[in-house]
Amino acid sequence: MDKFEVLARMSANSLFIYDLANDTLEFTGNYNNRLHAKRHYEHFVETISTNPLVEGDSKEGFEKLLKDTCSQRHIVSQNLSLLTHEDKYETFCVKTFYLQENNEILGFCRNIEFIMRADADSLTGLYNRSGIEKQLDDILANTSKDSITALIMIDLDNFKLVNDTHGHLVGDEVLRDISQILTDNFNKNSLISRIGGDEFLVCCHSMTNIIELIASVNGFIKNVLLYGGNRFGISASAGIAITTEPMPFQKLYNHADVAAYAAKNSGKNTYKIYDTSMEAHKYMDITSINYLYDNRDNRDAFTNTETRTSSTTNYLPLITAITEINNKNIDPKYKIEETSRLIVNFFKTDCAYANCFYPDGKGLLTSYCYSRDTSRGMTVETDFSLSKKDFVKNFDEKCIFFCSDVKKINEPLRTEFLKKHTSSFLQVLIFDDKDRVIGFLGANSKEKRLWNQDEIDVMITISKIITRTVREIHEDSMHILKKGLKKIPC
């Protein structure tokens, strides 16, 4: 048994080799655990029209996939309907790569039904956030100038009114119906996910032009309005980010997110395509400041006489956006990562973060942050040697600690910041409901910079807006520690 056969047997996927010169396709490994297929096929493409392995419309798709693979120098993928060992057709993700030296195509088939069971949103059956991220890593890494990949961020307009007026059961039914409208409007080369609440993410890949993409987005927005405009008062806004070159998922996701904000703040019920001139704060609708008054904690934070100065009105879009994010029913760590991204973009820093202290005060728990270097949110285990008591004593009476040049501060703090390649920072303490310090919000810069009073006031306001989110993270961490785990899972 050769090495390839051993690897094939260890894989849960069905692997195959297609010989172009002889038109033969041979499966290897545990292919029959998933497929009702022969091990070896002669004249595979020539006889595909009568081959029961491939269903109907997928016959042409399989033949095209093999043809396209020969002209590419990267992995090509296609969703095809293949016959399972239960004698029914199911959707498989088929990925292929051309081995030029052997004039062969190496490929594998993965049953999407099995993927979806682990990575599906339980309410809609679409991919969840982690599920679509797993798929997009490969797709975006292999995007080339010969094809277009687009990420579409979709946010339902006024969906909160559905839950408030009709109840959550009706709200859930609306989300399922919207999911079906999405599926009906985008083709089989699209990956569709519900990433939380009323937010959806669609990836369209292997496109040669954007006409079909725009038609699908327009069709979806129109159908959502027809479905729920009169009955529920809802519509949809979408942000589109396009690439023709390999790109990290988080970077393209951020572009789509910025475009979605632009769409919502240009009147909703529309779409915008991302371009480099878009800055999130230019498109934040200041009238949406009403969000600040939906929640008592947020209202108090903004109207606090110590933090509400005339200068903070320049930062209303930032405060509004962070309030909206932290009011959403999504994973707290994503709230902090997105809050950190906005801080980095507005303050032009290199990273922003929120940390929680261990209950014994002898270090920091997991940190949630956003880094300009990686253009993505991160969950990291912190390497921090100071105790809470020794660290907190550096904060002033307004619970602020900032420095324009870390080389001028005393040890051991100087070493702590220098090893993180930080030259300046601004930090604000965060408290629990008994006024005990549980963590802090911070922003770091690799360059020396002066922190002005406007920035300090706004950071105080943001720290109060995210207090509830940080408390959630801290309470979850305490619960895990009480169970006897020494390390908080990322």
Side-chain angles (χ1 to χ4, degrees):
M1 189 182 299
D2 63 21
K3 294 178 182 178
F4 183 78
E5 178 73 15
V6 172
L7 288 172
R9 288 183 179 274
M10 294 170 65
S11 172
N13 304 313
S14 302
L15 280 70
F16 65 85
I17 298 175
Y18 176 70
D19 185 326
L20 283 97
N22 298 308
D23 191 20
T24 59
L25 186 144
E26 184 166 341
F27 283 99
T28 186
N30 299 320
Y31 69 96
N32 53 356
N33 286 349
R34 295 284 183 266
L35 292 171
H36 189 164
K38 298 188 297 183
R39 175 175 287 275
H40 184 83
Y41 288 91
E42 295 282 345
H43 312 294
F44 180 77
V45 170
E46 183 182 338
T47 61
I48 196 169
S49 61
T50 58
N51 190 337
L53 173 64
V54 187
E55 185 183 27
D57 295 341
S58 289
K59 294 179 184 294
E60 184 179 344
F62 207 139
E63 186 174 354
K64 184 177 184 299
L65 173 68
L66 296 175
K67 182 179 179 181
D68 289 347
T69 304
C70 297
S71 62
Q72 305 291 337
R73 292 295 180 265
H74 57 78
I75 296 172
V76 182
S77 66
Q78 177 85 26
N79 289 345
L80 300 170
S81 182
L82 305 179
L83 188 64
T84 69
H85 61 86
E86 297 172 342
D87 285 332
K88 63 179 182 178
Y89 289 99
E90 292 184 355
T91 303
F92 284 71
C93 175
V94 183
K95 294 189 177 185
T96 53
F97 184 80
Y98 180 49
L99 301 173
Q100 187 174 12
E101 61 274 17
N102 300 326
N103 198 27
E104 293 176 335
I105 292 176
L106 178 64
F108 75 78
C109 311
R110 179 183 296 173
N111 191 323
I112 290 181
E113 297 291 332
F114 286 88
I115 301 172
M116 289 296 287
R117 288 168 195 168
D119 295 323
D121 171 52
S122 59
L123 177 65
T124 63
L126 302 174
Y127 281 111
N128 56 27
R129 184 183 179 114
S130 63
I132 197 168
E133 284 190 27
K134 292 175 186 176
Q135 299 294 310
L136 290 181
D137 284 341
D138 282 344
I139 291 172
L140 292 174
N142 292 291
T143 297
S144 73
K145 63 182 180 180
D146 298 322
S147 64
I148 299 170
T149 298
L151 208 56
I152 307 158
M153 170 71 76
I154 295 168
D155 195 349
L156 298 183
D157 306 320
N158 310 317
F159 179 75
K160 185 174 182 291
L161 295 175
V162 179
N163 286 333
D164 291 348
T165 306
H166 301 278
H168 287 276
L169 289 178
V170 173
D172 288 348
E173 186 62 34
V174 169
L175 291 174
R176 283 191 285 266
D177 290 342
I178 295 297
S179 301
Q180 187 58 54
I181 295 172
L182 273 170
T183 302
D184 292 342
N185 275 269
F186 289 91
N187 64 32
K188 291 183 179 180
N189 270 353
S190 301
L191 300 176
I192 306 172
S193 69
R194 175 175 172 249
I195 58 176
D198 59 351
E199 292 184 327
F200 297 83
L201 192 65
V202 179
C203 174
C204 299
H205 60 95
S206 303
M207 299 182 297
T208 56
N209 63 70
I210 65 170
I211 295 175
E212 183 181 354
L213 167 69
I214 299 304
S216 296
V217 175
N218 266 326
F220 168 73
I221 291 174
K222 178 182 177 181
N223 288 332
V224 169
L225 192 63
L226 288 172
Y227 162 79
N230 291 330
R231 183 181 175 191
F232 299 112
I234 61 171
S235 56
S237 298
I240 306 171
I242 297 170
T243 184
T244 55
E245 60 185 25
M247 182 179 290
F249 162 73
Q250 192 65 44
K251 184 175 182 180
L252 195 63
Y253 173 88
N254 290 343
H255 290 176
D257 189 39
V258 168
Y261 272 122
K264 288 188 77 71
N265 289 282
S266 64
K268 302 181 180 179
N269 190 40
T270 189
Y271 71 88
K272 293 288 183 182
I273 299 176
Y274 175 83
D275 66 68
T276 54
S277 68
M278 285 185 178
E279 293 289 342
H281 65 277
K282 293 180 181 177
Y283 293 95
M284 299 294 179
D285 182 0
I286 301 234
T287 61
S288 64
I289 198 68
N290 290 329
Y291 270 93
L292 293 173
Y293 298 94
D294 289 344
N295 177 276
R296 180 176 176 273
D297 290 340
N298 294 334
R299 182 172 66 250
D300 291 345
F302 186 69
T303 57
N304 185 296
T305 55
E306 293 183 7
T307 62
R308 191 177 188 275
T309 67
S310 60
S311 62
T312 59
T313 57
N314 295 326
Y315 293 89
L316 285 181
L318 172 64
I319 296 169
T320 302
I322 290 174
T323 303
E324 289 185 28
I325 291 162
N326 284 271
N327 276 342
K328 289 186 176 182
N329 184 26
I330 57 176
D331 190 328
K333 78 170 187 176
Y334 289 125
K335 295 181 186 180
I336 297 299
E337 289 173 1
E338 187 64 11
T339 295
S340 300
R341 182 183 73 83
L342 289 169
I343 291 172
V344 166
N345 288 340
F346 272 76
F347 284 74
K348 306 302 180 186
T349 60
D350 292 289
C351 74
Y353 48 86
N355 295 325
C356 294
F357 290 104
Y358 272 100
D360 60 8
K362 293 183 179 180
L364 292 173
L365 295 166
T366 302
S367 174
Y368 301 106
C369 62
Y370 178 88
S371 168
R372 187 180 294 278
D373 286 344
T374 59
S375 296
R376 67 184 179 91
M378 295 183 295
T379 303
V380 298
E381 293 297 325
T382 54
D383 178 19
F384 193 76
S385 60
L386 273 70
S387 68
K388 179 170 76 171
K389 180 180 178 181
D390 290 336
F391 184 65
V392 169
K393 68 184 182 183
N394 294 284
F395 288 74
D396 64 20
E397 68 278 2
K398 290 188 177 181
C399 306
I400 295 293
F401 181 31
F402 65 96
C403 178
S404 59
D405 184 0
V406 299
K407 292 182 179 179
K408 295 181 180 181
I409 62 176
N410 296 328
E411 294 288 1
L413 276 175
R414 180 167 55 200
T415 299
E416 287 288 343
F417 283 105
L418 287 176
K419 70 183 181 183
K420 295 177 174 62
H421 307 290
T422 297
S423 292
S424 59
F425 61 87
L426 169 61
Q427 296 177 336
V428 188
L429 291 178
I430 296 174
F431 298 82
D432 66 10
D433 55 0
K434 296 181 180 179
D435 287 328
R436 295 174 299 195
V437 175
I438 58 172
F440 57 92
L441 169 71
N444 293 356
S445 178
K446 293 180 181 179
E447 304 294 332
K448 298 175 186 177
R449 67 177 286 170
L450 294 173
W451 300 94
N452 62 47
Q453 191 60 48
D454 293 359
E455 294 168 332
I456 293 172
D457 288 341
V458 170
M459 281 291 278
I460 293 173
T461 301
I462 294 171
S463 73
K464 294 178 179 179
I465 291 172
I466 70 168
T467 291
R468 184 174 57 180
T469 302
V470 174
R471 287 176 184 174
E472 278 185 72
I473 293 172
H474 190 259
E475 288 169 4
D476 289 346
S477 301
M478 296 304 97
H479 180 69
I480 293 171
L481 289 172
K482 285 178 182 177
K483 286 186 174 182
L485 297 176
K486 294 182 179 179
K487 200 171 185 179
I488 306 300
C490 296

PDB file of all heavy atoms in Angstrom, residues 182-201:
ATOM      1  N   LEU A 182     -32.774  33.802   0.532  1.00  0.00           N
ATOM      2  CA  LEU A 182     -31.353  33.839   0.182  1.00  0.00           C
ATOM      3  C   LEU A 182     -30.974  32.654  -0.699  1.00  0.00           C
ATOM      4  O   LEU A 182     -30.315  32.809  -1.734  1.00  0.00           O
ATOM      5  CB  LEU A 182     -30.500  33.819   1.452  1.00  0.00           C
ATOM      6  CG  LEU A 182     -30.195  35.148   2.127  1.00  0.00           C
ATOM      7  CD1 LEU A 182     -29.558  34.913   3.494  1.00  0.00           C
ATOM      8  CD2 LEU A 182     -29.268  35.989   1.263  1.00  0.00           C
ATOM      9  N   THR A 183     -31.389  31.472  -0.283  1.00  0.00           N
ATOM     10  CA  THR A 183     -31.055  30.252  -1.023  1.00  0.00           C
ATOM     11  C   THR A 183     -31.629  30.297  -2.439  1.00  0.00           C
ATOM     12  O   THR A 183     -30.976  29.870  -3.395  1.00  0.00           O
ATOM     13  CB  THR A 183     -31.595  29.021  -0.275  1.00  0.00           C
ATOM     14  OG1 THR A 183     -31.047  28.992   1.048  1.00  0.00           O
ATOM     15  CG2 THR A 183     -31.206  27.735  -0.993  1.00  0.00           C
ATOM     16  N   ASP A 184     -32.824  30.845  -2.572  1.00  0.00           N
ATOM     17  CA  ASP A 184     -33.475  30.916  -3.888  1.00  0.00           C
ATOM     18  C   ASP A 184     -32.802  31.922  -4.811  1.00  0.00           C
ATOM     19  O   ASP A 184     -32.879  31.796  -6.039  1.00  0.00           O
ATOM     20  CB  ASP A 184     -34.954  31.287  -3.724  1.00  0.00           C
ATOM     21  CG  ASP A 184     -35.764  30.181  -3.056  1.00  0.00           C
ATOM     22  OD1 ASP A 184     -35.279  29.034  -3.032  1.00  0.00           O
ATOM     23  OD2 ASP A 184     -36.860  30.482  -2.541  1.00  0.00           O
ATOM     24  N   ASN A 185     -32.158  32.951  -4.241  1.00  0.00           N
ATOM     25  CA  ASN A 185     -31.625  34.043  -5.052  1.00  0.00           C
ATOM     26  C   ASN A 185     -30.161  33.889  -5.438  1.00  0.00           C
ATOM     27  O   ASN A 185     -29.684  34.617  -6.304  1.00  0.00           O
ATOM     28  CB  ASN A 185     -31.822  35.382  -4.339  1.00  0.00           C
ATOM     29  CG  ASN A 185     -33.187  35.979  -4.588  1.00  0.00           C
ATOM     30  OD1 ASN A 185     -33.387  36.751  -5.521  1.00  0.00           O
ATOM     31  ND2 ASN A 185     -34.149  35.585  -3.767  1.00  0.00           N
ATOM     32  N   PHE A 186     -29.452  32.973  -4.777  1.00  0.00           N
ATOM     33  CA  PHE A 186     -28.029  32.802  -5.086  1.00  0.00           C
ATOM     34  C   PHE A 186     -27.784  31.397  -5.622  1.00  0.00           C
ATOM     35  O   PHE A 186     -28.419  30.429  -5.191  1.00  0.00           O
ATOM     36  CB  PHE A 186     -27.178  33.075  -3.855  1.00  0.00           C
ATOM     37  CG  PHE A 186     -27.146  34.528  -3.465  1.00  0.00           C
ATOM     38  CD1 PHE A 186     -28.074  35.036  -2.573  1.00  0.00           C
ATOM     39  CD2 PHE A 186     -26.212  35.395  -4.021  1.00  0.00           C
ATOM     40  CE1 PHE A 186     -28.075  36.381  -2.219  1.00  0.00           C
ATOM     41  CE2 PHE A 186     -26.195  36.738  -3.682  1.00  0.00           C
ATOM     42  CZ  PHE A 186     -27.127  37.231  -2.777  1.00  0.00           C
ATOM     43  N   ASN A 187     -26.836  31.281  -6.554  1.00  0.00           N
ATOM     44  CA  ASN A 187     -26.629  30.012  -7.244  1.00  0.00           C
ATOM     45  C   ASN A 187     -25.873  28.990  -6.402  1.00  0.00           C
ATOM     46  O   ASN A 187     -25.480  29.254  -5.265  1.00  0.00           O
ATOM     47  CB  ASN A 187     -25.925  30.241  -8.589  1.00  0.00           C
ATOM     48  CG  ASN A 187     -24.529  30.815  -8.396  1.00  0.00           C
ATOM     49  OD1 ASN A 187     -23.848  30.534  -7.420  1.00  0.00           O
ATOM     50  ND2 ASN A 187     -24.088  31.617  -9.360  1.00  0.00           N
ATOM     51  N   LYS A 188     -25.645  27.828  -6.986  1.00  0.00           N
ATOM     52  CA  LYS A 188     -25.025  26.722  -6.247  1.00  0.00           C
ATOM     53  C   LYS A 188     -23.572  26.981  -5.889  1.00  0.00           C
ATOM     54  O   LYS A 188     -23.005  26.288  -5.047  1.00  0.00           O
ATOM     55  CB  LYS A 188     -25.151  25.426  -7.054  1.00  0.00           C
ATOM     56  CG  LYS A 188     -26.572  24.903  -7.174  1.00  0.00           C
ATOM     57  CD  LYS A 188     -26.627  23.591  -7.927  1.00  0.00           C
ATOM     58  CE  LYS A 188     -28.040  23.062  -8.015  1.00  0.00           C
ATOM     59  NZ  LYS A 188     -28.120  21.769  -8.750  1.00  0.00           N
ATOM     60  N   ASN A 189     -22.940  27.944  -6.534  1.00  0.00           N
ATOM     61  CA  ASN A 189     -21.554  28.286  -6.201  1.00  0.00           C
ATOM     62  C   ASN A 189     -21.465  29.269  -5.042  1.00  0.00           C
ATOM     63  O   ASN A 189     -20.410  29.824  -4.788  1.00  0.00           O
ATOM     64  CB  ASN A 189     -20.842  28.894  -7.415  1.00  0.00           C
ATOM     65  CG  ASN A 189     -20.173  27.811  -8.252  1.00  0.00           C
ATOM     66  OD1 ASN A 189     -20.148  26.654  -7.855  1.00  0.00           O
ATOM     67  ND2 ASN A 189     -19.660  28.189  -9.396  1.00  0.00           N
ATOM     68  N   SER A 190     -22.581  29.483  -4.364  1.00  0.00           N
ATOM     69  CA  SER A 190     -22.610  30.432  -3.256  1.00  0.00           C
ATOM     70  C   SER A 190     -22.655  29.692  -1.929  1.00  0.00           C
ATOM     71  O   SER A 190     -23.316  28.657  -1.796  1.00  0.00           O
ATOM     72  CB  SER A 190     -23.837  31.348  -3.364  1.00  0.00           C
ATOM     73  OG  SER A 190     -23.828  32.063  -4.575  1.00  0.00           O
ATOM     74  N   LEU A 191     -21.940  30.221  -0.948  1.00  0.00           N
ATOM     75  CA  LEU A 191     -22.001  29.728   0.424  1.00  0.00           C
ATOM     76  C   LEU A 191     -22.793  30.748   1.230  1.00  0.00           C
ATOM     77  O   LEU A 191     -22.507  31.946   1.185  1.00  0.00           O
ATOM     78  CB  LEU A 191     -20.603  29.581   1.017  1.00  0.00           C
ATOM     79  CG  LEU A 191     -19.652  28.609   0.299  1.00  0.00           C
ATOM     80  CD1 LEU A 191     -18.279  28.648   0.955  1.00  0.00           C
ATOM     81  CD2 LEU A 191     -20.208  27.202   0.342  1.00  0.00           C
ATOM     82  N   ILE A 192     -23.797  30.283   1.958  1.00  0.00           N
ATOM     83  CA  ILE A 192     -24.694  31.186   2.672  1.00  0.00           C
ATOM     84  C   ILE A 192     -24.676  30.842   4.152  1.00  0.00           C
ATOM     85  O   ILE A 192     -24.762  29.671   4.533  1.00  0.00           O
ATOM     86  CB  ILE A 192     -26.130  31.074   2.122  1.00  0.00           C
ATOM     87  CG1 ILE A 192     -26.132  31.305   0.601  1.00  0.00           C
ATOM     88  CG2 ILE A 192     -27.057  32.065   2.811  1.00  0.00           C
ATOM     89  CD1 ILE A 192     -27.472  31.035  -0.054  1.00  0.00           C
ATOM     90  N   SER A 193     -24.571  31.867   4.993  1.00  0.00           N
ATOM     91  CA  SER A 193     -24.509  31.619   6.435  1.00  0.00           C
ATOM     92  C   SER A 193     -25.304  32.670   7.203  1.00  0.00           C
ATOM     93  O   SER A 193     -25.501  33.803   6.731  1.00  0.00           O
ATOM     94  CB  SER A 193     -23.061  31.635   6.924  1.00  0.00           C
ATOM     95  OG  SER A 193     -22.530  32.948   6.855  1.00  0.00           O
ATOM     96  N   ARG A 194     -25.761  32.270   8.359  1.00  0.00           N
ATOM     97  CA  ARG A 194     -26.316  33.215   9.341  1.00  0.00           C
ATOM     98  C   ARG A 194     -25.271  33.329  10.433  1.00  0.00           C
ATOM     99  O   ARG A 194     -24.982  32.370  11.138  1.00  0.00           O
ATOM    100  CB  ARG A 194     -27.639  32.710   9.905  1.00  0.00           C
ATOM    101  CG  ARG A 194     -28.208  33.593  11.025  1.00  0.00           C
ATOM    102  CD  ARG A 194     -29.591  33.109  11.459  1.00  0.00           C
ATOM    103  NE  ARG A 194     -30.050  33.818  12.630  1.00  0.00           N
ATOM    104  CZ  ARG A 194     -30.188  33.277  13.840  1.00  0.00           C
ATOM    105  NH1 ARG A 194     -29.897  31.992  14.037  1.00  0.00           N
ATOM    106  NH2 ARG A 194     -30.622  33.992  14.858  1.00  0.00           N
ATOM    107  N   ILE A 195     -24.689  34.515  10.564  1.00  0.00           N
ATOM    108  CA  ILE A 195     -23.555  34.668  11.474  1.00  0.00           C
ATOM    109  C   ILE A 195     -23.970  35.195  12.839  1.00  0.00           C
ATOM    110  O   ILE A 195     -23.137  35.355  13.730  1.00  0.00           O
ATOM    111  CB  ILE A 195     -22.468  35.575  10.864  1.00  0.00           C
ATOM    112  CG1 ILE A 195     -23.017  36.958  10.528  1.00  0.00           C
ATOM    113  CG2 ILE A 195     -21.864  34.914   9.634  1.00  0.00           C
ATOM    114  CD1 ILE A 195     -21.968  37.922  10.019  1.00  0.00           C
ATOM    115  N   GLY A 196     -25.262  35.452  13.021  1.00  0.00           N
ATOM    116  CA  GLY A 196     -25.745  35.890  14.318  1.00  0.00           C
ATOM    117  C   GLY A 196     -26.913  36.840  14.183  1.00  0.00           C
ATOM    118  O   GLY A 196     -26.910  37.715  13.303  1.00  0.00           O
ATOM    119  N   GLY A 197     -27.927  36.679  15.052  1.00  0.00           N
ATOM    120  CA  GLY A 197     -29.058  37.597  15.044  1.00  0.00           C
ATOM    121  C   GLY A 197     -29.700  37.697  13.688  1.00  0.00           C
ATOM    122  O   GLY A 197     -30.128  36.706  13.096  1.00  0.00           O
ATOM    123  N   ASP A 198     -29.774  38.929  13.150  1.00  0.00           N
ATOM    124  CA  ASP A 198     -30.387  39.146  11.837  1.00  0.00           C
ATOM    125  C   ASP A 198     -29.337  39.446  10.779  1.00  0.00           C
ATOM    126  O   ASP A 198     -29.609  40.112   9.788  1.00  0.00           O
ATOM    127  CB  ASP A 198     -31.387  40.302  11.907  1.00  0.00           C
ATOM    128  CG  ASP A 198     -30.748  41.612  12.361  1.00  0.00           C
ATOM    129  OD1 ASP A 198     -29.577  41.580  12.784  1.00  0.00           O
ATOM    130  OD2 ASP A 198     -31.422  42.664  12.299  1.00  0.00           O
ATOM    131  N   GLU A 199     -28.121  38.941  10.977  1.00  0.00           N
ATOM    132  CA  GLU A 199     -27.025  39.167  10.036  1.00  0.00           C
ATOM    133  C   GLU A 199     -26.688  37.891   9.278  1.00  0.00           C
ATOM    134  O   GLU A 199     -26.589  36.808   9.859  1.00  0.00           O
ATOM    135  CB  GLU A 199     -25.778  39.665  10.768  1.00  0.00           C
ATOM    136  CG  GLU A 199     -25.929  41.057  11.351  1.00  0.00           C
ATOM    137  CD  GLU A 199     -24.648  41.562  11.976  1.00  0.00           C
ATOM    138  OE1 GLU A 199     -23.888  40.731  12.512  1.00  0.00           O
ATOM    139  OE2 GLU A 199     -24.408  42.766  11.939  1.00  0.00           O
ATOM    140  N   PHE A 200     -26.515  38.041   7.977  1.00  0.00           N
ATOM    141  CA  PHE A 200     -26.192  36.917   7.104  1.00  0.00           C
ATOM    142  C   PHE A 200     -24.937  37.263   6.295  1.00  0.00           C
ATOM    143  O   PHE A 200     -24.643  38.436   6.050  1.00  0.00           O
ATOM    144  CB  PHE A 200     -27.352  36.625   6.151  1.00  0.00           C
ATOM    145  CG  PHE A 200     -28.625  36.212   6.832  1.00  0.00           C
ATOM    146  CD1 PHE A 200     -29.496  37.157   7.348  1.00  0.00           C
ATOM    147  CD2 PHE A 200     -28.950  34.874   6.962  1.00  0.00           C
ATOM    148  CE1 PHE A 200     -30.674  36.786   7.980  1.00  0.00           C
ATOM    149  CE2 PHE A 200     -30.122  34.478   7.597  1.00  0.00           C
ATOM    150  CZ  PHE A 200     -30.988  35.438   8.108  1.00  0.00           C
ATOM    151  N   LEU A 201     -24.222  36.217   5.892  1.00  0.00           N
ATOM    152  CA  LEU A 201     -23.020  36.394   5.090  1.00  0.00           C
ATOM    153  C   LEU A 201     -23.087  35.432   3.908  1.00  0.00           C
ATOM    154  O   LEU A 201     -23.353  34.236   4.095  1.00  0.00           O
ATOM    155  CB  LEU A 201     -21.772  36.106   5.932  1.00  0.00           C
ATOM    156  CG  LEU A 201     -20.419  36.520   5.351  1.00  0.00           C
ATOM    157  CD1 LEU A 201     -20.338  38.043   5.231  1.00  0.00           C
ATOM    158  CD2 LEU A 201     -19.293  36.021   6.230  1.00  0.00           C
TER     159      LEU A 201
END
